[in-house]
Amino acid sequence: MDRRRFLTLAASALAAPGVIGRANASPVAGQSLPIPQILDVTGSADAALEAIQGTTAFVEGGAARTMGYSQPYLGPVLRMRRGEIARPVVRNRLDSPVTAHWHGAHVPGAVDGGPQLAIASGGTWAPELEIDQPAATLWYHSHIHGQTGRQIYHGLAGMMIVEDPGVENPGLPSEWGVDDIPVIIQDRRFGRGGELAYDLDMPTVMHGFQGDTILVNGAVQPNASVARGLVRLRLLNGSNARIYTLKFEDGRGFHQIASDGGFLPAPVARDSLVLAPAERAEIVLDLSDGATARMVSLPDANSPMEGMMGGGGMMQRMMGGMDRTDPEAVTDEGAFAVLSLTPDRPAPASQALPRVLAGGPAPTTAEPVRRRRIDLQMGPMAMRGAGNPLAINGQSYDMGRIDFETRRGEVELWEVSSDMMAHPFHMHGTAFTVLSRNGRSVPFEQLGAKDILLVDGKAEILVEFRKPADRAAPYMFHCHILEHEDGGMMGQFTVA
Ligand code: C2O
Ligand code: CU
Ligand code: CU
């Protein structure tokens, strides 16, 4: 987007303040949590993933045109095993190009599903994925440059699970849909007819698109019938921009057992958990008291407007409508409901929370051979360098430009800084170790190995490049607020 278009959009937004309000359509009440099917893609015969168009009734009496992989909205949970080759076959039955990017998978650039690997309408893509990483909860989604936000918003995403047959953590809940529950959290906005609304103007692009209705696995604030005992939730923030602070309404604590890259060294006791877009966390909570537990989230405080106009300015008043995008609060502190868990099923025998967890990723400790700065820029700072309001290091994404060249097996220290608001920083092809955030060191035991890190200020990460990626299909690094990514806050690198 050039400077003139930016100014035009900004001006039109000024002329029409407060246009955003709650849709009239009301959610379909009392839905139960859909549990997506598992599609085993290691060595299996029929592992087709078809990008299709569908119709989904998210709200009472309404219908939305949606997209999904082999289903109207979202896709099956892909399961793959370490040490084996996964062979998903992706067919595109839509009328525009899509990709299937394996977010968090350590696979070469040539099969990573980035923007260069578009599958044309009618086309088929059959990558071979050599699974060579610890057990973890990942996800997959389309990654067409400029369309990623729209495509994921409409449903082109799903969860992915890497299992490690060589590792056992006895006692961990593992019965799918009973005490091992996939939880894909998204926020959406609906028009009067129940259609998905995804209208971008410049303030929305800068803020990141937020909805006023919470979906879990495609259902509005559903209820899950689960085991009366320990329950493991595989949390994935599949939202375009919203950051959740998750907790339980009754104040009950829980243990985090895994982050993006897999198991933590040991369970970490928590009362709440911040989950930025694209982040994953696995938690175990105890529901043996039989009471229904409601998971809620605090409102998202991330907003560019303070810094943009120096606070209290016209832009901020103009953006007043933005503050009303949060779903209806259910607690005094403004938290809204995400998911209810009703423990009305018998717990599988021999559940126990292990004291230590086996099979997690190890921290990267090697001396870095190089230091790089990655400045995530927006607004005036980005305009100055890139002539575009979203950029990294003074440049907006260009599919024809390689930003960094790195080498396999080398370790680099990346210093990532944010501008105007917190940005969830993501890189493809590896998982990194966080050294520090705003000058304070971060214990590996707390965060584990990450491929997404919410950067609010400065963060130092240690990156080891594990798989190759050439100029034809480089790896991406970007902000995972999808409107920022689509708008140019993305770069790409090769690994020789
Ligand atoms: Cu979730 Cu570039 O990806
Ligand atoms: Cu990714
Ligand atoms: Cu961002």
Side-chain angles (χ1 to χ4, degrees):
M1 183 172 311
D2 62 20
R3 185 181 160 77
R4 229 181 79 204
R5 182 155 156 70
F6 171 57
L7 294 174
T8 311
L9 279 170
S12 68
L14 270 173
V19 288
I20 296 152
R22 243 190 118 79
N24 282 0
S26 59
V28 174
Q31 294 180 91
S32 57
L33 178 74
I35 303 292
Q37 276 194 1
I38 291 182
L39 179 64
D40 205 311
V41 286
T42 34
S44 109
D46 188 20
L49 219 46
E50 304 209 331
I52 55 170
Q53 186 133 64
T55 304
T56 307
F58 294 106
V59 292
E60 207 87 63
R65 277 163 69 82
T66 50
M67 296 189 274
Y69 292 102
S70 303
Q71 58 189 58
Y73 182 79
L74 298 175
V77 173
L78 304 185
R79 187 168 61 193
M80 32 199 83
R81 272 180 301 278
R82 185 178 199 173
E84 293 183 33
I85 310 240
R87 294 187 173 83
V89 177
V90 189
R91 290 196 194 97
N92 182 6
R93 303 232 185 272
L94 296 167
D95 48 20
S96 51
V98 300
T99 81
H101 164 55
W102 322 110
H103 179 128
H106 305 168
V107 296
V111 292
D112 184 49
Q116 276 84 357
L117 298 172
I119 310 163
S121 174
T124 298
W125 183 53
E128 295 205 336
L129 312 176
E130 212 183 308
I131 304 305
D132 176 25
Q133 66 187 88
T137 299
L138 318 176
W139 65 308
Y140 61 99
H141 59 77
S142 191
H143 211 311
I144 296 292
H145 183 54
Q147 294 298 318
T148 302
R150 178 172 300 277
Q151 291 187 333
I152 293 179
Y153 188 80
H154 285 85
L156 285 177
M159 188 179 274
M160 206 164 117
I161 294 176
V162 172
E163 287 185 343
D164 189 340
V167 170
E168 269 192 65
N169 281 302
L172 265 197
S174 59
E175 214 171 299
W176 189 248
V178 176
D179 63 358
D180 183 354
I181 314 285
V183 177
I184 306 172
I185 308 172
Q186 300 177 306
D187 58 337
R188 295 293 183 260
R189 180 182 294 269
F190 299 100
R192 279 162 201 280
E195 71 275 13
L196 280 167
Y198 187 69
D199 302 317
L200 298 183
D201 54 16
M202 183 50 64
T204 308
V205 168
M206 299 309 258
H207 191 276
F209 188 97
Q210 297 201 343
D212 54 13
T213 304
I214 300 299
L215 304 181
V216 180
N217 301 348
V220 179
Q221 295 169 317
N223 177 64
S225 157
V226 298
R228 182 174 177 142
L230 296 183
V231 173
R232 169 185 188 173
L233 303 181
R234 297 176 188 259
L235 305 169
L236 158 63
N237 183 349
S239 307
N240 284 31
R242 183 180 287 278
I243 300 166
Y244 300 88
T245 302
L246 300 169
K247 51 199 284 191
F248 290 90
E249 195 179 8
D250 60 8
R252 78 176 67 210
F254 52 88
H255 285 87
Q256 184 179 355
I257 57 166
S259 68
D260 303 334
F263 289 121
L264 301 175
V268 174
R270 299 198 187 287
D271 302 315
S272 69
L273 180 82
V274 173
L275 206 64
E279 260 190 319
R280 287 89 63 210
E282 295 183 41
I283 64 171
V284 172
L285 72 157
D286 188 349
L287 295 177
S288 53
D289 62 3
T292 292
R294 181 145 73 163
M295 189 165 74
V296 298
S297 172
L298 294 175
D300 181 357
N302 202 15
S303 164
M305 293 313 147
E306 289 279 342
M308 198 145 172
M309 292 288 152
M314 193 192 317
M315 186 68 116
Q316 208 156 355
R317 267 182 283 123
M318 174 189 107
M319 295 300 297
M322 280 298 182
D323 300 327
R324 295 197 297 268
T325 63
D326 277 319
E328 240 163 290
V330 295
T331 72
D332 294 342
E333 48 176 2
F336 51 84
V338 175
L339 170 69
S340 294
L341 300 160
T342 304
D344 54 7
R345 301 168 71 166
S350 77
Q351 285 188 330
L353 184 66
R355 277 196 304 133
V356 294
L357 295 160
T364 303
T365 52
E367 268 307 302
V369 298
R370 205 166 288 110
R371 189 178 251 272
R372 293 187 203 270
R373 281 186 56 177
I374 289 88
D375 293 341
L376 309 172
Q377 300 164 330
M378 65 185 289
M381 177 73 86
M383 289 301 289
R384 214 170 296 144
N388 182 63
L390 295 157
I392 297 179
N393 295 349
Q395 291 183 302
S396 291
Y397 179 68
D398 177 350
M399 221 192 258
R401 184 189 69 232
I402 300 296
D403 297 281
F404 302 137
E405 293 178 336
T406 71
R407 299 189 148 277
R408 207 169 161 182
E410 282 189 354
V411 171
E412 296 189 351
L413 193 156
W414 287 21
E415 184 186 307
V416 187
S417 69
S418 67
D419 188 17
M420 296 228 161
M421 60 193 279
H423 300 274
F425 177 74
H426 170 53
M427 54 190 301
H428 289 203
T430 189
F432 51 80
T433 297
V434 183
L435 292 182
S436 73
R437 269 168 143 168
N438 298 327
R440 298 174 65 178
S441 68
V442 175
F444 182 79
E445 295 69 33
Q446 292 285 320
L447 275 191
K450 300 287 294 168
D451 58 59
I452 281 276
L453 181 69
L454 188 61
V455 179
D456 194 2
K458 240 184 216 14
E460 290 178 308
I461 62 177
L462 261 193
V463 185
E464 180 178 349
F465 305 98
R466 297 163 204 260
K467 302 285 166 185
D470 63 16
R471 304 184 72 85
Y475 287 133
M476 304 297 124
F477 59 97
H478 55 90
C479 174
H480 222 291
I481 289 179
L482 299 179
E483 292 71 34
H484 291 181
E485 172 189 340
D486 279 336
M489 197 183 282
M490 179 156 75
Q492 50 189 11
F493 66 99
T494 56
V495 181

